[in-house]
């Protein structure tokens, strides 16, 4: 069974998604790197923040 | 409209990156193929499900619409459209009966999300191939 860690699954998912989106949305190498990093950080950071936000509503 | 503008996105829909490859955008073609195929393969390895288009045979006109919300969760209809983005994998899964989903595995939800995400990304990749073919993008 691969990826039993949800965090690792999320990071790999964010990496591959950011890679594809960067190659679709930007044409220059530097711009791709910046955009890809931005998307990756937004996805991972956003998920972590939302995870902590949901922690407020635990029973 | 140029033939390429129709063929490239269709090829890209069938196999990720193929629409770019036929337009000599080799690097992008390879990146898209590897990334999207890897996502799909990992999703399947995690026990994710590829959702089929399932509706009961309607007996009245009203049932055409009400059947959409029967049996299966209506959200699975959205999952079907996402999974259809990876056309070749979707068709193969219907013929070879893989991607049935292993609900008992803890990775089922993530696997399903990987497969759906790969399909949605492939729609964008196919549209990008179309934009290149019509000259909107380089």
């Amino acid at each position: 069974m691969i990826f039993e860690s949800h965090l690792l699954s999320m990071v790999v998912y964010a990496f591959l998604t950011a890679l594809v989106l960067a190659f679709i949305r930007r044409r220059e190498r530097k711009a791709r790197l910046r955009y890809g990093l931005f998307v990756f950080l937004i996805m991972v950071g956003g998920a972590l923040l939302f995870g902590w936000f949901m922690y407020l509503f635990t029973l | 409209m140029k033939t390429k503008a129709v063929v490239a996105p269709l090829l890209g829909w069938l196999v990720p990156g193929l629409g770019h490859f036929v337009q000599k955008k080799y690097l992008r073609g390879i990146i898209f193929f590897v990334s999207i195929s890897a996502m799909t393969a990992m999703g399947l390895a995690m026990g994710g499900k590829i959702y089929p288009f399932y509706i009961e045979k309607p007996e009245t006109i009203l049932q055409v619409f009400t059947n959409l919300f029967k049996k299966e969760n209506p959200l699975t209809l959205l999952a079907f459209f996402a999974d259809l983005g990876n056309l070749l994998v979707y068709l193969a899964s219907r013929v070879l009966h893989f991607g049935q989903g292993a609900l008992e595995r803890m990775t089922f939800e993530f696997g399903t999300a990987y497969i759906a995400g790969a399909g949605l990304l492939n729609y964008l990749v196919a549209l990008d191939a179309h934009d290149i073919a019509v000259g909107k993008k380089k």
Side-chain angles (χ1 to χ4, degrees):
Chain A
M1 211 188 290
I2 63 166
F3 288 160
E4 287 191 2
S5 157
H6 277 196
L7 181 68
L8 182 61
S9 300
M10 183 182 73
V11 169
V12 172
Y13 186 96
F15 172 76
L16 291 170
T17 305
L19 182 69
V20 172
L21 288 178
F23 270 79
I24 290 173
R25 298 294 302 275
R26 298 288 185 270
R27 288 294 176 251
E28 287 81 35
R29 201 172 162 181
K30 237 181 179 175
R32 272 179 185 160
L33 192 68
R34 271 214 308 265
Y35 185 76
L37 201 64
F38 173 74
V39 173
F40 177 76
L41 291 175
I42 287 287
M43 287 180 78
V44 174
L48 289 174
L49 279 175
F50 195 69
W52 278 102
F53 175 72
M54 286 193 290
Y55 185 69
L56 296 173
F57 301 98
T58 51
L59 295 174
Chain B
M1 194 187 269
K2 287 187 266 181
T3 316
K4 207 165 67 172
V6 177
V7 174
L10 285 177
L11 287 175
W13 184 27
L14 190 68
V15 178
L18 190 59
H20 288 78
F21 217 80
V22 294
Q23 296 184 82
K24 297 180 181 170
K25 308 289 179 194
Y26 299 117
L27 176 66
R28 267 178 268 173
I30 290 169
I31 294 272
F32 293 146
F33 178 75
V34 171
S35 308
I36 293 174
S37 301
M39 280 178 82
T40 310
M42 283 190 277
L44 289 169
M46 284 189 258
K49 183 173 179 177
I50 297 175
Y51 285 91
F53 185 76
Y54 174 79
I55 53 168
E56 278 180 40
K57 199 176 170 187
E59 284 171 16
T60 63
I61 292 173
L62 184 65
Q63 278 185 357
V64 172
F65 302 102
T66 55
N67 281 359
L68 288 174
F69 303 99
K70 268 189 180 173
K71 286 253 180 187
E72 296 259 347
N73 181 333
L75 287 177
T76 60
L77 203 62
L78 297 177
F80 157 74
F81 282 111
D83 294 342
L84 195 64
N86 234 329
L87 187 62
L88 191 65
V89 173
Y90 179 81
L91 295 175
S93 75
R94 298 281 64 89
V95 176
L96 303 172
H97 305 291
F98 63 84
Q100 304 294 311
L103 198 57
E104 71 282 2
R105 286 168 65 175
M106 63 184 282
T107 53
F108 167 77
E109 294 290 350
F110 245 114
T112 303
Y114 262 71
I115 296 168
L120 292 173
L121 280 176
N122 201 37
Y123 281 128
L124 295 179
V125 168
L127 287 174
D128 190 55
H130 174 265
D131 286 347
I132 293 168
V134 295
K136 266 193 204 168
K137 283 183 180 175
K138 281 184 190 172

